[in-house]
Amino acid sequence: MRSTGMLNTWRSCCVNIPQRWILALMGFLGLFNAYAMRACLNITITEMVAPTNHHVQHFVDDTCSFTEDELPSNSTVAKTSSGTYDWSEVTQGVIISSFYWGYVITHLPGGMMAEKFGGKYTLGFGILFTAVFTLLTPNAVEWGGAWALIVLRVLMGLGEGTTYPAVNVMLAQWTPPEERSKIGSFVYAGAPLGTVYAMTVSGLILQHSSIGWPAVFYFFGSVNVLWFLVWVVLCYNNPREHPFISEHEVKYLNERLSDHTHQKPPPVPWRHILTSKPLWALIIALIGHNWAFLTIVSDLPKYMSSVLKFSIQNNGYVSSIAYLCMWLGSLVTSWIADWTIANGHYTITKVRKIGSTIALLLPAIFIVAASYAGCDRLMVVIMFYIGMTLMGTALPGIMVCVLDLSPNYAGTLMALTNGISALTGIVTPQIVGILTTNQTLTQWRLVFWIVFGVSVLTNIVFLVYGSGEVEYWNDPEFVKEDREKRKGKSNDVEVVS
């Protein structure tokens, strides 16, 4: 009786609230918190590790000075790291990249599980497991040092690997085409904003906590356990399972999604998916985007600390505002994209290609330009902010394109696209570790030129082969007929033999 009464209370309270936007909010917070757990190490590691000794190495040190008159105020002068772990730049690169070793493994199984059983618990338990491993991080580092941290980061990656595929499966069940850019971009914006949150809060905790850097991991792990509890109560796999959605919303979503989204589509048509040029063009574009984005996410705090000599607090502020700029860019361009499509000004394909060009080419130019601004800290920060704002166009440009190609197999496609492109998370930190052993401006400039080259090449591929139209193999009838034809051919071969 008590549970029935509670359900009725929820119905009377929430029936008039569009539940697709409740899902969008909780999905946003899911990515927000997932990225916070992933990114908090990137700034915390600058306090965990002992400072590099420049005096015993032979190289030209063109990093910036600590001179106060170059900075707005005394508060921006970097303090010397009090870290105790003697981890080289290469070791730090391995630690940062180890998250992605596990992350790429669970993408495909996570997508297939979400398509078969629903995205609610696939996403929920993945983030819960990551939260538990985050809470265990301080003890693991104290016990086993770098290797224990690497193992734990791999386990965190395994948990978070289900995140994007599961989110995509749920979006395919909840977002009508005319709202896809807005809702999808809103949810995916949790990634850059979660990084903002991680950088800002981590900097504050590192400065004020009495127990030091372990407090960062205790805080973010606890918040994500709380998110899981709320997620389980409020969110459901699809409108049909939702206990307090309005009949009007159910009818609306059924009408708008019935053409391309089906309750039980046939098994995944792997042969057609793996030979789809638009899909591979999207994967390549995402590789370009992730190469730039993950280089910045993983290593911008290092650049600000080691080259520009920002203090730990101001490092957190400056780095976090860059991702806030990315979110603002995605917010504005997602509304423009949906308005353009809804009013017939441009096709979905053209909108996605315009978005990819803005998101890949222009940020790369500004990132390279930032390295040539030298120690002009204000100009460097402005260049990064402009670049990250433009990078936000990737969300309505290429991130939602998976939903365009195949709503029925959104989980599998997100597993393939995000899983393959996430391999850059393994590669880029190690490239940075190898190329920036002395953390000089010249070494970092080479890193940013590599980002530029990858962005240009991947965007060209998407412009030639990319598409925003539903692929023919999304149609269940086509998949069934194709399977029957292939069965018939195999039976004919058996008869002849």
Side-chain angles (χ1 to χ4, degrees):
M1 292 290 292
R2 184 175 296 176
S3 61
T4 304
M6 185 177 294
L7 183 60
N8 289 332
T9 301
W10 275 108
R11 277 204 186 99
S12 61
C13 174
C14 304
V15 71
N16 293 322
I17 302 174
Q19 294 303 312
R20 61 189 182 278
W21 282 102
I22 298 294
L23 175 86
L25 175 61
M26 290 303 298
F28 163 84
L29 291 174
L31 287 179
F32 180 88
N33 287 308
Y35 265 76
M37 289 189 291
R38 181 190 312 191
C40 65
L41 177 64
N42 300 334
I43 193 167
T44 307
I45 200 170
T46 64
E47 290 295 289
M48 297 169 67
V49 178
T52 303
N53 185 358
H54 287 312
H55 300 291
V56 297
Q57 302 182 32
H58 301 285
F59 64 94
V60 176
D61 185 0
D62 57 358
T63 58
C64 304
S65 68
F66 292 95
T67 306
E68 291 184 340
D69 60 7
E70 292 182 12
L71 303 172
S73 69
N74 290 341
S75 65
T76 54
V77 179
K79 70 176 183 179
T80 303
S81 171
S82 59
T84 56
Y85 296 100
D86 187 19
W87 298 337
S88 69
E89 292 298 330
V90 174
T91 300
Q92 292 177 57
V94 172
I95 291 170
I96 296 296
S97 69
S98 60
F99 173 90
Y100 296 94
W101 303 352
Y103 186 67
V104 298
I105 291 173
T106 50
H107 261 67
L108 191 55
M112 297 176 74
M113 285 176 58
E115 285 176 349
K116 186 170 184 179
F117 302 110
K120 176 176 179 174
Y121 287 107
T122 308
L123 173 63
F125 282 124
I127 292 182
L128 178 63
F129 293 152
T130 307
V132 172
F133 296 134
T134 301
L135 289 168
L136 293 175
T137 297
N139 290 333
V141 175
E142 183 180 355
W143 170 71
W147 284 108
L149 181 56
I150 288 169
V151 170
L152 207 60
R153 294 286 289 182
V154 172
L155 294 174
M156 289 175 64
L158 289 171
E160 275 198 31
T162 63
T163 303
Y164 270 109
V167 164
N168 230 40
V169 167
M170 297 192 74
L171 287 177
Q173 295 290 333
W174 282 91
T175 56
E178 61 271 19
E179 296 179 359
R180 189 164 292 156
S181 294
K182 288 194 292 285
I183 294 180
S185 295
F186 175 73
V187 172
Y188 295 141
L193 283 183
T195 309
V196 172
Y197 164 62
M199 297 293 182
T200 305
V201 174
S202 296
L204 291 171
I205 292 174
L206 289 169
Q207 186 178 38
H208 298 292
S209 172
S210 60
I211 64 172
W213 62 263
V216 174
F217 299 100
Y218 294 145
F219 174 79
F220 288 111
S222 301
V223 169
N224 277 273
V225 172
L226 178 62
W227 172 88
F228 171 78
L229 298 176
V230 178
W231 169 262
V232 170
V233 173
L234 292 184
C235 297
Y236 297 84
N237 291 319
N238 54 62
R240 298 176 298 279
E241 295 181 9
H242 206 295
F244 39 87
I245 190 173
S246 70
E247 292 183 8
H248 171 75
E249 188 174 10
V250 172
K251 183 179 178 182
Y252 169 71
L253 291 175
N254 284 339
E255 289 175 352
R256 300 304 301 134
L257 295 171
S258 59
D259 287 344
H260 299 300
T261 305
H262 301 81
Q263 293 185 30
K264 294 183 178 180
V268 178
W270 285 110
R271 184 168 63 91
H272 296 284
I273 285 177
L274 295 177
T275 56
S276 171
K277 289 181 181 179
L279 178 61
W280 283 106
L282 176 59
I283 291 171
I284 290 169
L286 286 169
I287 287 173
H289 169 65
N290 278 0
W291 193 288
F293 178 65
L294 295 178
T295 296
I296 301 303
V297 167
S298 299
D299 297 296
L300 183 60
K302 268 191 185 181
Y303 184 78
M304 294 297 182
S305 173
S306 300
V307 177
L308 297 179
K309 300 297 193 296
F310 278 97
S311 70
I312 188 63
Q313 182 180 9
N314 287 304
N315 192 347
Y317 290 147
V318 171
S319 298
S320 65
I321 292 173
Y323 309 109
L324 184 63
C325 290
M326 183 177 178
W327 171 70
L328 290 172
S330 70
L331 189 67
V332 172
T333 55
S334 66
W335 283 88
I336 293 173
D338 272 347
W339 177 83
T340 303
I341 293 168
N343 288 277
H345 296 298
Y346 290 112
T347 64
I348 295 177
T349 297
K350 187 167 287 188
V351 168
R352 303 305 183 225
K353 289 184 177 182
I354 292 172
S356 77
T357 302
I358 295 173
L360 288 171
L361 292 187
L362 298 184
I365 292 171
F366 281 97
I367 288 170
V368 170
S371 70
Y372 284 93
C375 292
D376 185 341
R377 291 176 176 84
L378 178 61
M379 185 58 65
V380 170
V381 168
I382 290 172
M383 292 291 184
F384 272 115
Y385 287 174
I386 295 173
M388 292 299 285
T389 302
L390 295 168
M391 195 181 290
T393 312
L395 275 72
I398 51 180
M399 288 295 291
V400 299
C401 198
V402 171
L403 294 170
D404 296 327
L405 297 179
S406 180
N408 281 328
Y409 303 105
T412 297
L413 261 62
M414 179 56 86
L416 280 174
T417 56
N418 202 57
I420 294 174
S421 63
L423 290 170
T424 57
I426 298 174
V427 176
T428 55
Q430 298 199 48
I431 288 178
V432 171
I434 292 169
L435 295 180
T436 64
T437 52
N438 299 316
Q439 290 292 305
T440 66
L441 181 58
T442 302
Q443 291 173 342
W444 275 98
R445 188 172 292 152
L446 177 58
V447 170
F448 295 146
W449 271 113
I450 292 172
V451 169
F452 177 83
V454 172
S455 297
V456 170
L457 291 175
T458 53
N459 186 61
I460 290 172
V461 173
F462 189 75
L463 290 179
V464 175
Y465 297 108
S467 173
E469 304 302 322
V470 177
E471 285 284 84
Y472 63 91
W473 38 263
N474 180 72
D475 183 3
E477 293 303 319
F478 170 83
V479 176
K480 291 175 183 176
E481 290 175 7
D482 183 62
R483 289 181 181 276
E484 291 299 325
K485 286 180 182 178
R486 286 195 290 135
K487 284 182 181 179
K489 287 181 180 179
S490 63
N491 291 335
D492 291 341
V493 170
E494 290 177 8
V495 170
V496 171
S497 60

